[in-house]
Amino acid sequence: MILAPNLCFRTIPTTCTAVKHQKEPHRFNPVTQTKTKACECYDLHKELLPYAKAWSWQKQIVKEKKALLQRNEDCPDTLIILQHNPVYTMGTGSSEKYLNFDLAEAPFDVYRTERGGEVTYHGPGQLVMYPIINLRNHKMDLHWYLRALEEVVIRVLSSTFSIKASRIEGLTGVWVGNQKLAAIGVRVSQWITYHGLALNVTTDLTPFSWIVPCGLQDRQVGSIQGLLQEFQSSTRADTQNPDDCQLIDISYKSLIKEFCEVFQLEIHQKAIPGSEFWREKQ
């Protein structure tokens, strides 16, 4: 059934992946800010958080930001970064035809959400970023925001892993050849964003085979770890790649850095809510 909640680093070699030329019409045009703004960050990148709790948490933060705006008070941006327990999520208009299983016998929980896009998978080894930001502080343009999220991942892959990634005409997300490494699905309410992006770092990709990811029949799903291993195998390079924990940490630090640069924000770490908060979300 579909659920809904109750309201020592080693240098990584250049990855040379043979890719078919893709037309890339989307461009990211940065917005120059006169002053770097603060962004509250809840860092759970080493934690597995159940999807329903994270979803409810986002909506609570959105509600609080809307209240601030109604009182004409300052509305700072917020970023949550975490991993999820295995789960499938669907967008508001997603079709069940992209599920390769009977919902009554789903391998993991399935949630239909208010984000855009088709079905995707979240699980361990995948870093999920939920920016809950006031686009009034940036640019009130949904297409600009999607391109900005893509830009964050493209810069991470290039600057940290020497992986050349790109956008594909008519699609949202970040690609290396025919492999999609990052999925993006967002919701914007009164110019406050929530939901966000998911980057496959060390993710077990098997659960993606039980769906048609993002409704794209002729595309594959990839991960940073998979591309690094592919490079090492194809070149027989005598280089030891980082282990899973190292790769998650490296990717996390790079995501934060590039997110701050793209959105011109300064991160301020926030304490994670205590146990009473989480009991209220169940």
Side-chain angles (χ1 to χ4, degrees), residues 168-231:
I168 291 181
E169 180 183 13
L171 302 177
T172 299
V174 176
W175 308 77
V176 177
N178 199 44
Q179 296 183 42
K180 188 172 190 178
L181 266 66
I184 296 172
V186 303
R187 176 80 174 186
V188 178
S189 177
Q190 297 179 27
W191 295 111
I192 303 296
T193 72
Y194 59 119
H195 296 286
L197 70 84
L199 173 62
N200 296 324
V201 182
T202 64
T203 324
D204 176 5
L205 302 180
T206 304
F208 284 103
S209 66
W210 303 331
I211 60 173
V212 180
C214 303
L216 302 174
Q217 301 277 2
D218 58 343
R219 303 287 180 176
Q220 301 173 1
V221 176
S223 68
I224 293 174
Q225 185 179 64
L227 288 175
L228 296 179
Q229 291 173 345
E230 179 184 311
F231 171 84

Side-chain angles (χ1 to χ4, degrees), residues 256-275:
I256 292 294
K257 174 180 177 293
E258 301 300 343
F259 177 80
C260 288
E261 291 190 1
V262 168
F263 288 94
Q264 300 179 43
L265 294 169
E266 180 179 326
I267 289 294
H268 295 267
Q269 298 289 347
K270 295 281 288 184
I272 306 302
S275 57

Side-chain angles (χ1 to χ4, degrees), residues 10-13 225 228-230 232 239-243 246:
R10 295 176 175 83
T11 301
I12 300 174
Q225 185 179 64
L228 296 179
Q229 291 173 345
E230 179 184 311
Q232 189 174 38
T239 305
Q240 184 176 355
N241 287 329
D243 63 27
Q246 289 176 319

Side-chain angles (χ1 to χ4, degrees), residues 39-44 49 54 57-58 61 78-82 128-132 197 272 278:
C39 178
E40 302 171 342
C41 179
Y42 294 98
D43 174 17
L44 294 98
L49 192 66
W57 188 13
Q58 289 179 76
I61 294 174
T78 301
L79 174 66
I80 303 172
I81 184 164
L82 46 71
V128 180
M129 295 182 75
Y130 292 129
I132 308 172
L197 70 84
I272 306 302
W278 296 118

Side-chain angles (χ1 to χ4, degrees), residues 158-169:
S158 176
S159 65
T160 302
F161 301 105
S162 296
I163 296 173
K164 181 173 175 54
S166 64
R167 302 173 177 90
I168 291 181
E169 180 183 13

Side-chain angles (χ1 to χ4, degrees), residues 3-18:
L3 303 175
N6 299 324
L7 284 245
C8 167
F9 174 50
R10 295 176 175 83
T11 301
I12 300 174
T14 300
T15 299
C16 300
T17 304

Side-chain angles (χ1 to χ4, degrees), residues 22-175:
Q22 299 284 1
K23 185 178 179 182
E24 189 177 344
H26 300 311
R27 299 293 177 186
F28 171 67
N29 298 311
V31 174
T32 302
Q33 305 277 14
T34 56
K35 182 180 178 181
T36 300
K37 296 182 180 295
C39 178
E40 302 171 342
C41 179
Y42 294 98
D43 174 17
L44 294 98
H45 82 276
K46 295 182 179 181
E47 306 296 329
L48 293 177
L49 192 66
Y51 185 81
K53 290 184 177 181
W55 187 14
S56 180
W57 188 13
Q58 289 179 76
K59 290 189 286 188
Q60 178 61 35
I61 294 174
V62 170
K63 182 179 178 180
E64 292 169 358
K65 291 188 184 304
K66 288 180 178 179
L68 289 173
L69 291 173
Q70 288 178 351
R71 297 194 299 268
N72 291 318
E73 296 181 21
D74 184 44
C75 179
D77 293 335
T78 301
L79 174 66
I80 303 172
I81 184 164
L82 46 71
Q83 299 178 57
H84 281 306
N85 302 92
V87 65
Y88 291 115
T89 68
M90 303 172 70
T92 185
S94 294
S95 172
E96 294 179 16
K97 70 180 181 180
Y98 296 124
L99 306 179
N100 296 329
F101 52 79
D102 188 323
L103 274 172
E105 300 177 352
F108 309 116
D109 286 344
V110 181
Y111 288 91
R112 185 178 292 278
T113 76
E114 63 276 88
R115 66 163 173 81
E118 288 288 346
V119 63
T120 194
Y121 165 76
H122 299 303
Q126 181 191 76
L127 287 175
V128 180
M129 295 182 75
Y130 292 129
I132 308 172
I133 66 177
N134 180 8
L135 288 181
R136 296 172 181 82
N137 295 335
H138 302 274
K139 187 174 182 178
M140 295 165 67
D141 183 328
L142 178 57
H143 295 287
W144 175 88
Y145 179 59
L146 293 172
R147 302 294 80 78
L149 293 179
E150 293 167 346
E151 186 70 14
V152 170
V153 178
I154 289 171
R155 292 186 184 190
V156 166
L157 295 174
S158 176
S159 65
T160 302
F161 301 105
S162 296
I163 296 173
K164 181 173 175 54
S166 64
R167 302 173 177 90
I168 291 181
E169 180 183 13
L171 302 177
T172 299
V174 176
W175 308 77

